[in-house]
Amino acid sequence: MLPGIRICPRRHRAVVVALVAVAVAASGCSPSDGKRKSARRHPFSRTTQAQPEPSVTSRPAPKPRTAAQYVARARQAMAAEKGWTFALRGSESAVMRGQAPSSATFAATVHRTTAPEALQQTGTITTSKGARKSEVVYVVDGTGYVKEGGKAWKKGPLSDPDIANDVEDPVAELDAFGAYAKSAKVSRTGAGGGDVRLQVTASGWQLSAARSRPALKKAVREVEPALAQLRGAGVRATDGQITLKSFTETWDLDTAHGYRLTSHRYAFTFLVPFQGGDITVSQEVRADNRGVFTGSVALPSDAK
């Protein structure tokens, strides 16, 4: 390992890349300049309250046809309840030819209230070596609070990517999806094709260009911690050399319940050139709706 390099896993988003550091140290690779830009604001703080469903005496709303119309109806359905519970699963890996993969997984339960907007996320991180640690995340009044294992609470605004990358909020992500929903493909799923799926895919974008694409802003923000570790270990690929191999974001909506969200999934893979080959950095996250949450979210006293 290179002198002074310490690679620490952060949740499922920060891959342990000691394998890369070892390879770089052996090759004597010299650094070159790369470009980095600031991350975008997390959508939680920009969530807007959707209008309630029409009353029973109102004229029935027309059936949605476009992706944007489906998103609008889904937001109405989600805002109509006090809160929701989601089951969250995620994984991340870094793979380099000739080296054992480095990976981490994450599982959590998310309680998200809509009025007031708040979030509680409780889960466990597991590394590829079997090490486990707990993680608790809160979002209250637009501020994020993160506690990993026995460490002290980390606090900051959601505009800080170090905080935003630890927050998984499907309700806020649905709101953000509205900005690029027109690029989604609409299809029918479920028994008899009764439910709706909205899906966005992309590939081939250089990291430098992906930064300006609304659909890819989150993927760029999410991959930055892994890229920072790689660069710290001596990998000097620039933004113009790093390529998005694949990206898929999928929203499943329940037509029988006002098109409310049933699941949200996103996955991406970036290729980072190194020593004549590529380091493959991948991430996949899935949030499944487990039903209405009628409780409240209160920030622990030691986090204030």
Side-chain angles (χ1 to χ4, degrees), residues 8-60:
C8 300
R10 266 186 80 229
R11 208 177 148 188
H12 62 284
R13 303 192 178 1
V15 178
V16 183
V17 291
L19 70 157
V20 178
V22 172
V24 174
S27 68
C29 181
S30 61
S32 61
D33 291 336
K35 298 180 180 179
R36 297 189 67 192
K37 298 182 180 180
S38 61
R40 300 289 183 175
R41 183 176 178 85
H42 192 278
F44 189 105
S45 59
R46 296 185 286 105
T47 303
T48 56
Q49 185 73 23
Q51 294 299 313
E53 289 279 9
S55 65
V56 293
T57 58
S58 302
R59 179 180 300 177

mmCIF file of all heavy atoms in Angstrom, residues 8-60:
data_model
loop_
_atom_site.group_PDB
_atom_site.id
_atom_site.type_symbol
_atom_site.label_atom_id
_atom_site.label_comp_id
_atom_site.label_asym_id
_atom_site.label_seq_id
_atom_site.Cartn_x
_atom_site.Cartn_y
_atom_site.Cartn_z
ATOM 1 N N CYS A 8 -10.935 3.753 3.913
ATOM 2 C CA CYS A 8 -11.973 3.419 4.899
ATOM 3 C C CYS A 8 -13.324 3.285 4.222
ATOM 4 O O CYS A 8 -13.749 4.199 3.517
ATOM 5 C CB CYS A 8 -12.071 4.510 5.963
ATOM 6 S SG CYS A 8 -10.528 4.753 6.871
ATOM 7 N N PRO A 9 -14.017 2.150 4.385
ATOM 8 C CA PRO A 9 -15.335 1.995 3.772
ATOM 9 C C PRO A 9 -16.353 2.926 4.397
ATOM 10 O O PRO A 9 -16.391 3.089 5.612
ATOM 11 C CB PRO A 9 -15.691 0.528 4.041
ATOM 12 C CG PRO A 9 -14.899 0.180 5.257
ATOM 13 C CD PRO A 9 -13.642 0.981 5.188
ATOM 14 N N ARG A 10 -17.172 3.584 3.596
ATOM 15 C CA ARG A 10 -18.262 4.434 4.052
ATOM 16 C C ARG A 10 -19.555 3.863 3.539
ATOM 17 O O ARG A 10 -19.872 4.011 2.391
ATOM 18 C CB ARG A 10 -18.168 5.825 3.448
ATOM 19 C CG ARG A 10 -17.521 6.821 4.147
ATOM 20 C CD ARG A 10 -17.675 8.152 3.431
ATOM 21 N NE ARG A 10 -18.945 8.748 3.681
ATOM 22 C CZ ARG A 10 -19.712 9.205 2.725
ATOM 23 N NH1 ARG A 10 -19.364 9.109 1.485
ATOM 24 N NH2 ARG A 10 -20.830 9.744 3.021
ATOM 25 N N ARG A 11 -20.287 3.194 4.373
ATOM 26 C CA ARG A 11 -21.561 2.683 3.960
ATOM 27 C C ARG A 11 -21.420 1.836 2.721
ATOM 28 O O ARG A 11 -20.352 1.275 2.461
ATOM 29 C CB ARG A 11 -22.508 3.849 3.721
ATOM 30 C CG ARG A 11 -23.930 3.466 3.958
ATOM 31 C CD ARG A 11 -24.803 4.638 3.775
ATOM 32 N NE ARG A 11 -26.001 4.103 3.270
ATOM 33 C CZ ARG A 11 -26.974 4.827 2.842
ATOM 34 N NH1 ARG A 11 -26.873 6.098 2.855
ATOM 35 N NH2 ARG A 11 -28.038 4.275 2.414
ATOM 36 N N HIS A 12 -22.440 1.699 1.858
ATOM 37 C CA HIS A 12 -22.275 0.920 0.637
ATOM 38 C C HIS A 12 -21.728 1.775 -0.484
ATOM 39 O O HIS A 12 -21.522 1.303 -1.579
ATOM 40 C CB HIS A 12 -23.612 0.304 0.212
ATOM 41 C CG HIS A 12 -24.663 1.311 -0.116
ATOM 42 N ND1 HIS A 12 -25.339 2.010 0.854
ATOM 43 C CD2 HIS A 12 -25.136 1.749 -1.301
ATOM 44 C CE1 HIS A 12 -26.209 2.823 0.278
ATOM 45 N NE2 HIS A 12 -26.103 2.693 -1.015
ATOM 46 N N ARG A 13 -21.489 3.093 -0.229
ATOM 47 C CA ARG A 13 -21.040 3.959 -1.279
ATOM 48 C C ARG A 13 -19.541 4.064 -1.394
ATOM 49 O O ARG A 13 -19.042 4.514 -2.374
ATOM 50 C CB ARG A 13 -21.583 5.341 -1.055
ATOM 51 C CG ARG A 13 -23.088 5.338 -0.977
ATOM 52 C CD ARG A 13 -23.578 6.715 -1.046
ATOM 53 N NE ARG A 13 -24.942 6.942 -1.027
ATOM 54 C CZ ARG A 13 -25.894 6.081 -0.939
ATOM 55 N NH1 ARG A 13 -25.640 4.858 -0.872
ATOM 56 N NH2 ARG A 13 -27.137 6.398 -0.949
ATOM 57 N N ALA A 14 -18.782 3.759 -0.357
ATOM 58 C CA ALA A 14 -17.339 3.946 -0.408
ATOM 59 C C ALA A 14 -16.661 2.591 -0.426
ATOM 60 O O ALA A 14 -16.552 1.921 0.573
ATOM 61 C CB ALA A 14 -16.880 4.761 0.791
ATOM 62 N N VAL A 15 -16.212 2.163 -1.584
ATOM 63 C CA VAL A 15 -15.633 0.842 -1.749
ATOM 64 C C VAL A 15 -14.229 0.814 -1.169
ATOM 65 O O VAL A 15 -13.485 1.771 -1.270
ATOM 66 C CB VAL A 15 -15.574 0.485 -3.242
ATOM 67 C CG1 VAL A 15 -14.921 -0.858 -3.443
ATOM 68 C CG2 VAL A 15 -16.955 0.465 -3.816
ATOM 69 N N VAL A 16 -13.866 -0.296 -0.582
ATOM 70 C CA VAL A 16 -12.512 -0.465 -0.100
ATOM 71 C C VAL A 16 -11.626 -0.768 -1.295
ATOM 72 O O VAL A 16 -11.795 -1.785 -1.940
ATOM 73 C CB VAL A 16 -12.432 -1.620 0.919
ATOM 74 C CG1 VAL A 16 -11.028 -1.740 1.464
ATOM 75 C CG2 VAL A 16 -13.417 -1.413 2.040
ATOM 76 N N VAL A 17 -10.679 0.112 -1.624
ATOM 77 C CA VAL A 17 -9.881 -0.053 -2.833
ATOM 78 C C VAL A 17 -8.413 -0.299 -2.506
ATOM 79 O O VAL A 17 -7.515 0.160 -3.205
ATOM 80 C CB VAL A 17 -10.022 1.184 -3.754
ATOM 81 C CG1 VAL A 17 -11.403 1.260 -4.327
ATOM 82 C CG2 VAL A 17 -9.700 2.461 -2.992
ATOM 83 N N ALA A 18 -8.139 -1.026 -1.429
ATOM 84 C CA ALA A 18 -6.764 -1.352 -1.092
ATOM 85 C C ALA A 18 -6.095 -2.137 -2.208
ATOM 86 O O ALA A 18 -4.892 -2.036 -2.420
ATOM 87 C CB ALA A 18 -6.730 -2.160 0.211
ATOM 88 N N LEU A 19 -6.873 -2.938 -2.956
ATOM 89 C CA LEU A 19 -6.314 -3.693 -4.065
ATOM 90 C C LEU A 19 -5.696 -2.764 -5.093
ATOM 91 O O LEU A 19 -4.667 -3.053 -5.689
ATOM 92 C CB LEU A 19 -7.394 -4.548 -4.735
ATOM 93 C CG LEU A 19 -8.482 -3.824 -5.524
ATOM 94 C CD1 LEU A 19 -9.101 -4.773 -6.540
ATOM 95 C CD2 LEU A 19 -9.541 -3.297 -4.600
ATOM 96 N N VAL A 20 -6.304 -1.596 -5.305
ATOM 97 C CA VAL A 20 -5.772 -0.636 -6.258
ATOM 98 C C VAL A 20 -4.496 -0.011 -5.738
ATOM 99 O O VAL A 20 -3.520 0.170 -6.463
ATOM 100 C CB VAL A 20 -6.814 0.459 -6.545
ATOM 101 C CG1 VAL A 20 -6.246 1.489 -7.499
ATOM 102 C CG2 VAL A 20 -8.065 -0.165 -7.138
ATOM 103 N N ALA A 21 -4.477 0.325 -4.445
ATOM 104 C CA ALA A 21 -3.292 0.939 -3.861
ATOM 105 C C ALA A 21 -2.089 0.022 -3.971
ATOM 106 O O ALA A 21 -0.977 0.453 -4.256
ATOM 107 C CB ALA A 21 -3.551 1.297 -2.396
ATOM 108 N N VAL A 22 -2.303 -1.271 -3.757
ATOM 109 C CA VAL A 22 -1.220 -2.231 -3.869
ATOM 110 C C VAL A 22 -0.685 -2.273 -5.290
ATOM 111 O O VAL A 22 0.518 -2.268 -5.532
ATOM 112 C CB VAL A 22 -1.697 -3.633 -3.428
ATOM 113 C CG1 VAL A 22 -0.644 -4.675 -3.726
ATOM 114 C CG2 VAL A 22 -2.015 -3.624 -1.941
ATOM 115 N N ALA A 23 -1.595 -2.315 -6.267
ATOM 116 C CA ALA A 23 -1.176 -2.375 -7.659
ATOM 117 C C ALA A 23 -0.436 -1.116 -8.083
ATOM 118 O O ALA A 23 0.546 -1.160 -8.809
ATOM 119 C CB ALA A 23 -2.389 -2.592 -8.565
ATOM 120 N N VAL A 24 -0.908 0.041 -7.611
ATOM 121 C CA VAL A 24 -0.262 1.301 -7.958
ATOM 122 C C VAL A 24 1.129 1.364 -7.363
ATOM 123 O O VAL A 24 2.093 1.787 -7.999
ATOM 124 C CB VAL A 24 -1.099 2.492 -7.459
ATOM 125 C CG1 VAL A 24 -0.364 3.795 -7.691
ATOM 126 C CG2 VAL A 24 -2.428 2.521 -8.202
ATOM 127 N N ALA A 25 1.282 0.934 -6.111
ATOM 128 C CA ALA A 25 2.582 0.975 -5.463
ATOM 129 C C ALA A 25 3.588 0.109 -6.208
ATOM 130 O O ALA A 25 4.756 0.455 -6.347
ATOM 131 C CB ALA A 25 2.449 0.512 -4.016
ATOM 132 N N ALA A 26 3.113 -1.026 -6.717
ATOM 133 C CA ALA A 26 4.000 -1.930 -7.431
ATOM 134 C C ALA A 26 4.414 -1.376 -8.785
ATOM 135 O O ALA A 26 5.500 -1.657 -9.288
ATOM 136 C CB ALA A 26 3.325 -3.289 -7.609
ATOM 137 N N SER A 27 3.553 -0.576 -9.402
ATOM 138 C CA SER A 27 3.815 -0.099 -10.759
ATOM 139 C C SER A 27 4.604 1.193 -10.790
ATOM 140 O O SER A 27 5.153 1.570 -11.820
ATOM 141 C CB SER A 27 2.489 0.119 -11.495
ATOM 142 O OG SER A 27 1.791 1.202 -10.919
ATOM 143 N N GLY A 28 4.636 1.928 -9.656
ATOM 144 C CA GLY A 28 5.327 3.215 -9.637
ATOM 145 C C GLY A 28 4.645 4.245 -10.491
ATOM 146 O O GLY A 28 5.297 5.096 -11.097
ATOM 147 N N CYS A 29 3.333 4.208 -10.572
ATOM 148 C CA CYS A 29 2.571 5.127 -11.411
ATOM 149 C C CYS A 29 2.733 6.553 -10.906
ATOM 150 O O CYS A 29 2.656 6.805 -9.714
ATOM 151 C CB CYS A 29 1.089 4.731 -11.372
ATOM 152 S SG CYS A 29 0.034 5.752 -12.375
ATOM 153 N N SER A 30 2.974 7.501 -11.826
ATOM 154 C CA SER A 30 3.139 8.893 -11.436
ATOM 155 C C SER A 30 1.834 9.634 -11.598
ATOM 156 O O SER A 30 1.067 9.342 -12.515
ATOM 157 C CB SER A 30 4.212 9.558 -12.305
ATOM 158 O OG SER A 30 3.835 9.520 -13.663
ATOM 159 N N PRO A 31 1.535 10.607 -10.709
ATOM 160 C CA PRO A 31 0.256 11.314 -10.770
ATOM 161 C C PRO A 31 0.203 12.305 -11.901
ATOM 162 O O PRO A 31 1.213 12.821 -12.356
ATOM 163 C CB PRO A 31 0.188 12.021 -9.411
ATOM 164 C CG PRO A 31 1.615 12.223 -9.034
ATOM 165 C CD PRO A 31 2.362 11.030 -9.579
ATOM 166 N N SER A 32 -1.024 12.587 -12.353
ATOM 167 C CA SER A 32 -1.275 13.650 -13.321
ATOM 168 C C SER A 32 -2.533 14.353 -12.895
ATOM 169 O O SER A 32 -3.286 13.850 -12.070
ATOM 170 C CB SER A 32 -1.421 13.088 -14.736
ATOM 171 O OG SER A 32 -2.510 12.203 -14.800
ATOM 172 N N ASP A 33 -2.803 15.544 -13.445
ATOM 173 C CA ASP A 33 -3.936 16.341 -13.000
ATOM 174 C C ASP A 33 -5.253 15.739 -13.435
ATOM 175 O O ASP A 33 -5.384 15.259 -14.549
ATOM 176 C CB ASP A 33 -3.842 17.766 -13.563
ATOM 177 C CG ASP A 33 -2.688 18.518 -12.923
ATOM 178 O OD1 ASP A 33 -2.315 18.131 -11.802
ATOM 179 O OD2 ASP A 33 -2.183 19.470 -13.542
ATOM 180 N N GLY A 34 -6.284 15.809 -12.565
ATOM 181 C CA GLY A 34 -7.649 15.428 -12.912
ATOM 182 C C GLY A 34 -8.566 16.565 -12.552
ATOM 183 O O GLY A 34 -8.189 17.500 -11.874
ATOM 184 N N LYS A 35 -9.788 16.518 -13.025
ATOM 185 C CA LYS A 35 -10.744 17.578 -12.766
ATOM 186 C C LYS A 35 -11.857 17.071 -11.877
ATOM 187 O O LYS A 35 -12.357 15.987 -12.065
ATOM 188 C CB LYS A 35 -11.351 18.091 -14.080
ATOM 189 C CG LYS A 35 -10.332 18.704 -15.009
ATOM 190 C CD LYS A 35 -11.002 19.194 -16.290
ATOM 191 C CE LYS A 35 -10.002 19.811 -17.235
ATOM 192 N NZ LYS A 35 -10.663 20.264 -18.486
ATOM 193 N N ARG A 36 -12.273 17.911 -10.903
ATOM 194 C CA ARG A 36 -13.395 17.576 -10.044
ATOM 195 C C ARG A 36 -14.233 18.810 -9.858
ATOM 196 O O ARG A 36 -13.738 19.917 -9.766
ATOM 197 C CB ARG A 36 -12.916 17.081 -8.677
ATOM 198 C CG ARG A 36 -12.097 15.800 -8.757
ATOM 199 C CD ARG A 36 -11.857 15.258 -7.378
ATOM 200 N NE ARG A 36 -13.112 14.829 -6.801
ATOM 201 C CZ ARG A 36 -13.231 14.535 -5.520
ATOM 202 N NH1 ARG A 36 -12.227 14.631 -4.702
ATOM 203 N NH2 ARG A 36 -14.399 14.157 -5.044
ATOM 204 N N LYS A 37 -15.527 18.618 -9.776
ATOM 205 C CA LYS A 37 -16.448 19.711 -9.540
ATOM 206 C C LYS A 37 -17.287 19.401 -8.321
ATOM 207 O O LYS A 37 -17.385 18.261 -7.887
ATOM 208 C CB LYS A 37 -17.353 19.939 -10.763
ATOM 209 C CG LYS A 37 -16.580 20.319 -12.015
ATOM 210 C CD LYS A 37 -17.541 20.582 -13.164
ATOM 211 C CE LYS A 37 -16.799 20.955 -14.436
ATOM 212 N NZ LYS A 37 -17.721 21.202 -15.551
ATOM 213 N N SER A 38 -17.930 20.405 -7.790
ATOM 214 C CA SER A 38 -18.743 20.230 -6.592
ATOM 215 C C SER A 38 -19.990 19.423 -6.898
ATOM 216 O O SER A 38 -20.515 19.450 -8.003
ATOM 217 C CB SER A 38 -19.145 21.597 -6.024
ATOM 218 O OG SER A 38 -19.894 22.308 -6.967
ATOM 219 N N ALA A 39 -20.465 18.688 -5.882
ATOM 220 C CA ALA A 39 -21.660 17.869 -6.056
ATOM 221 C C ALA A 39 -22.899 18.735 -6.031
ATOM 222 O O ALA A 39 -22.900 19.858 -5.565
ATOM 223 C CB ALA A 39 -21.734 16.821 -4.930
ATOM 224 N N ARG A 40 -23.987 18.166 -6.545
ATOM 225 C CA ARG A 40 -25.253 18.893 -6.608
ATOM 226 C C ARG A 40 -26.021 18.767 -5.315
ATOM 227 O O ARG A 40 -25.792 17.874 -4.510
ATOM 228 C CB ARG A 40 -26.098 18.344 -7.776
ATOM 229 C CG ARG A 40 -25.407 18.499 -9.124
ATOM 230 C CD ARG A 40 -25.372 19.947 -9.544
ATOM 231 N NE ARG A 40 -24.761 20.091 -10.867
ATOM 232 C CZ ARG A 40 -24.684 21.237 -11.515
ATOM 233 N NH1 ARG A 40 -25.145 22.329 -10.974
ATOM 234 N NH2 ARG A 40 -24.117 21.296 -12.711
ATOM 235 N N ARG A 41 -26.973 19.609 -5.134
ATOM 236 C CA ARG A 41 -27.809 19.623 -3.931
ATOM 237 C C ARG A 41 -28.704 18.403 -3.902
ATOM 238 O O ARG A 41 -29.254 17.989 -4.909
ATOM 239 C CB ARG A 41 -28.654 20.899 -3.933
ATOM 240 C CG ARG A 41 -29.510 21.057 -2.676
ATOM 241 C CD ARG A 41 -30.215 22.374 -2.724
ATOM 242 N NE ARG A 41 -31.066 22.578 -1.593
ATOM 243 C CZ ARG A 41 -30.661 23.064 -0.434
ATOM 244 N NH1 ARG A 41 -29.398 23.396 -0.289
ATOM 245 N NH2 ARG A 41 -31.483 23.237 0.578
ATOM 246 N N HIS A 42 -28.842 17.813 -2.721
ATOM 247 C CA HIS A 42 -29.716 16.644 -2.563
ATOM 248 C C HIS A 42 -31.162 17.090 -2.670
ATOM 249 O O HIS A 42 -31.549 18.138 -2.159
ATOM 250 C CB HIS A 42 -29.452 16.000 -1.194
ATOM 251 C CG HIS A 42 -30.085 14.660 -1.056
ATOM 252 N ND1 HIS A 42 -31.400 14.508 -0.724
ATOM 253 C CD2 HIS A 42 -29.591 13.412 -1.221
ATOM 254 C CE1 HIS A 42 -31.688 13.222 -0.660
ATOM 255 N NE2 HIS A 42 -30.610 12.538 -0.961
ATOM 256 N N PRO A 43 -32.000 16.272 -3.331
ATOM 257 C CA PRO A 43 -33.376 16.696 -3.579
ATOM 258 C C PRO A 43 -34.284 16.753 -2.361
ATOM 259 O O PRO A 43 -35.366 17.300 -2.430
ATOM 260 C CB PRO A 43 -33.878 15.634 -4.567
ATOM 261 C CG PRO A 43 -33.045 14.434 -4.306
ATOM 262 C CD PRO A 43 -31.678 14.980 -3.955
ATOM 263 N N PHE A 44 -33.871 16.193 -1.217
ATOM 264 C CA PHE A 44 -34.765 16.167 -0.053
ATOM 265 C C PHE A 44 -35.214 17.573 0.296
ATOM 266 O O PHE A 44 -36.378 17.819 0.562
ATOM 267 C CB PHE A 44 -34.026 15.539 1.140
ATOM 268 C CG PHE A 44 -34.915 15.259 2.325
ATOM 269 C CD1 PHE A 44 -35.311 13.960 2.605
ATOM 270 C CD2 PHE A 44 -35.344 16.271 3.154
ATOM 271 C CE1 PHE A 44 -36.112 13.695 3.701
ATOM 272 C CE2 PHE A 44 -36.147 16.010 4.251
ATOM 273 C CZ PHE A 44 -36.526 14.733 4.515
ATOM 274 N N SER A 45 -34.281 18.525 0.282
ATOM 275 C CA SER A 45 -34.611 19.875 0.706
ATOM 276 C C SER A 45 -35.427 20.630 -0.323
ATOM 277 O O SER A 45 -35.894 21.719 -0.071
ATOM 278 C CB SER A 45 -33.321 20.650 0.988
ATOM 279 O OG SER A 45 -32.513 20.689 -0.156
ATOM 280 N N ARG A 46 -35.603 20.026 -1.529
ATOM 281 C CA ARG A 46 -36.373 20.685 -2.566
ATOM 282 C C ARG A 46 -37.732 20.021 -2.777
ATOM 283 O O ARG A 46 -38.442 20.324 -3.722
ATOM 284 C CB ARG A 46 -35.607 20.661 -3.893
ATOM 285 C CG ARG A 46 -34.322 21.447 -3.839
ATOM 286 C CD ARG A 46 -33.668 21.507 -5.199
ATOM 287 N NE ARG A 46 -33.058 20.233 -5.551
ATOM 288 C CZ ARG A 46 -33.565 19.395 -6.416
ATOM 289 N NH1 ARG A 46 -34.698 19.640 -7.018
ATOM 290 N NH2 ARG A 46 -32.946 18.273 -6.713
ATOM 291 N N THR A 47 -38.092 19.062 -1.893
ATOM 292 C CA THR A 47 -39.362 18.377 -2.067
ATOM 293 C C THR A 47 -40.514 19.356 -1.904
ATOM 294 O O THR A 47 -40.593 20.085 -0.940
ATOM 295 C CB THR A 47 -39.510 17.247 -1.027
ATOM 296 O OG1 THR A 47 -38.396 16.367 -1.175
ATOM 297 C CG2 THR A 47 -40.811 16.500 -1.228
ATOM 298 N N THR A 48 -41.424 19.349 -2.847
ATOM 299 C CA THR A 48 -42.588 20.221 -2.761
ATOM 300 C C THR A 48 -43.816 19.391 -2.457
ATOM 301 O O THR A 48 -43.922 18.239 -2.853
ATOM 302 C CB THR A 48 -42.797 20.987 -4.083
ATOM 303 O OG1 THR A 48 -42.905 20.039 -5.155
ATOM 304 C CG2 THR A 48 -41.623 21.923 -4.350
ATOM 305 N N GLN A 49 -44.750 19.995 -1.777
ATOM 306 C CA GLN A 49 -45.957 19.279 -1.387
ATOM 307 C C GLN A 49 -46.893 19.165 -2.576
ATOM 308 O O GLN A 49 -47.298 20.161 -3.161
ATOM 309 C CB GLN A 49 -46.652 20.036 -0.238
ATOM 310 C CG GLN A 49 -47.844 19.309 0.324
ATOM 311 C CD GLN A 49 -47.401 18.110 1.145
ATOM 312 O OE1 GLN A 49 -46.297 18.068 1.623
ATOM 313 N NE2 GLN A 49 -48.265 17.131 1.296
ATOM 314 N N ALA A 50 -47.215 17.912 -2.957
ATOM 315 C CA ALA A 50 -48.152 17.719 -4.058
ATOM 316 C C ALA A 50 -49.563 18.036 -3.584
ATOM 317 O O ALA A 50 -49.880 17.996 -2.398
ATOM 318 C CB ALA A 50 -48.078 16.279 -4.563
ATOM 319 N N GLN A 51 -50.433 18.356 -4.527
ATOM 320 C CA GLN A 51 -51.815 18.651 -4.192
ATOM 321 C C GLN A 51 -52.546 17.370 -3.824
ATOM 322 O O GLN A 51 -52.247 16.296 -4.347
ATOM 323 C CB GLN A 51 -52.516 19.308 -5.400
ATOM 324 C CG GLN A 51 -51.954 20.678 -5.735
ATOM 325 C CD GLN A 51 -52.122 21.644 -4.589
ATOM 326 O OE1 GLN A 51 -53.206 21.719 -4.012
ATOM 327 N NE2 GLN A 51 -51.078 22.379 -4.247
ATOM 328 N N PRO A 52 -53.504 17.419 -2.908
ATOM 329 C CA PRO A 52 -54.233 16.217 -2.510
ATOM 330 C C PRO A 52 -55.094 15.690 -3.650
ATOM 331 O O PRO A 52 -55.400 16.386 -4.607
ATOM 332 C CB PRO A 52 -55.103 16.711 -1.347
ATOM 333 C CG PRO A 52 -55.262 18.184 -1.591
ATOM 334 C CD PRO A 52 -53.959 18.629 -2.204
ATOM 335 N N GLU A 53 -55.460 14.428 -3.525
ATOM 336 C CA GLU A 53 -56.338 13.816 -4.507
ATOM 337 C C GLU A 53 -57.677 14.552 -4.548
ATOM 338 O O GLU A 53 -58.150 15.069 -3.537
ATOM 339 C CB GLU A 53 -56.582 12.343 -4.135
ATOM 340 C CG GLU A 53 -55.356 11.452 -4.332
ATOM 341 C CD GLU A 53 -55.202 11.041 -5.767
ATOM 342 O OE1 GLU A 53 -55.939 11.575 -6.634
ATOM 343 O OE2 GLU A 53 -54.343 10.191 -6.053
ATOM 344 N N PRO A 54 -58.330 14.618 -5.698
ATOM 345 C CA PRO A 54 -59.643 15.265 -5.781
ATOM 346 C C PRO A 54 -60.640 14.574 -4.856
ATOM 347 O O PRO A 54 -60.551 13.383 -4.597
ATOM 348 C CB PRO A 54 -60.029 15.059 -7.254
ATOM 349 C CG PRO A 54 -58.731 14.839 -7.965
ATOM 350 C CD PRO A 54 -57.849 14.130 -6.986
ATOM 351 N N SER A 55 -61.562 15.329 -4.323
ATOM 352 C CA SER A 55 -62.579 14.761 -3.441
ATOM 353 C C SER A 55 -63.518 13.886 -4.253
ATOM 354 O O SER A 55 -63.542 13.921 -5.479
ATOM 355 C CB SER A 55 -63.373 15.892 -2.767
ATOM 356 O OG SER A 55 -64.108 16.618 -3.749
ATOM 357 N N VAL A 56 -64.312 13.097 -3.544
ATOM 358 C CA VAL A 56 -65.191 12.150 -4.216
ATOM 359 C C VAL A 56 -66.254 12.866 -5.039
ATOM 360 O O VAL A 56 -66.847 12.278 -5.940
ATOM 361 C CB VAL A 56 -65.860 11.225 -3.178
ATOM 362 C CG1 VAL A 56 -64.825 10.340 -2.522
ATOM 363 C CG2 VAL A 56 -66.609 12.044 -2.126
ATOM 364 N N THR A 57 -66.506 14.138 -4.739
ATOM 365 C CA THR A 57 -67.520 14.868 -5.497
ATOM 366 C C THR A 57 -66.939 15.541 -6.738
ATOM 367 O O THR A 57 -67.675 16.083 -7.539
ATOM 368 C CB THR A 57 -68.177 15.940 -4.604
ATOM 369 O OG1 THR A 57 -67.158 16.832 -4.114
ATOM 370 C CG2 THR A 57 -68.879 15.290 -3.424
ATOM 371 N N SER A 58 -65.614 15.518 -6.875
ATOM 372 C CA SER A 58 -64.978 16.133 -8.029
ATOM 373 C C SER A 58 -65.048 15.219 -9.237
ATOM 374 O O SER A 58 -65.236 14.003 -9.115
ATOM 375 C CB SER A 58 -63.522 16.477 -7.713
ATOM 376 O OG SER A 58 -63.444 17.347 -6.604
ATOM 377 N N ARG A 59 -64.874 15.811 -10.392
ATOM 378 C CA ARG A 59 -64.813 15.015 -11.613
ATOM 379 C C ARG A 59 -63.564 14.151 -11.587
ATOM 380 O O ARG A 59 -62.480 14.640 -11.248
ATOM 381 C CB ARG A 59 -64.782 15.938 -12.821
ATOM 382 C CG ARG A 59 -64.690 15.202 -14.154
ATOM 383 C CD ARG A 59 -64.676 16.186 -15.303
ATOM 384 N NE ARG A 59 -65.899 16.985 -15.307
ATOM 385 C CZ ARG A 59 -66.118 17.965 -16.170
ATOM 386 N NH1 ARG A 59 -65.181 18.281 -17.074
ATOM 387 N NH2 ARG A 59 -67.245 18.639 -16.128
ATOM 388 N N PRO A 60 -63.670 12.858 -11.907
ATOM 389 C CA PRO A 60 -62.498 11.980 -11.874
ATOM 390 C C PRO A 60 -61.378 12.536 -12.748
ATOM 391 O O PRO A 60 -61.618 13.021 -13.861
ATOM 392 C CB PRO A 60 -63.035 10.651 -12.425
ATOM 393 C CG PRO A 60 -64.511 10.703 -12.166
ATOM 394 C CD PRO A 60 -64.899 12.143 -12.318
#
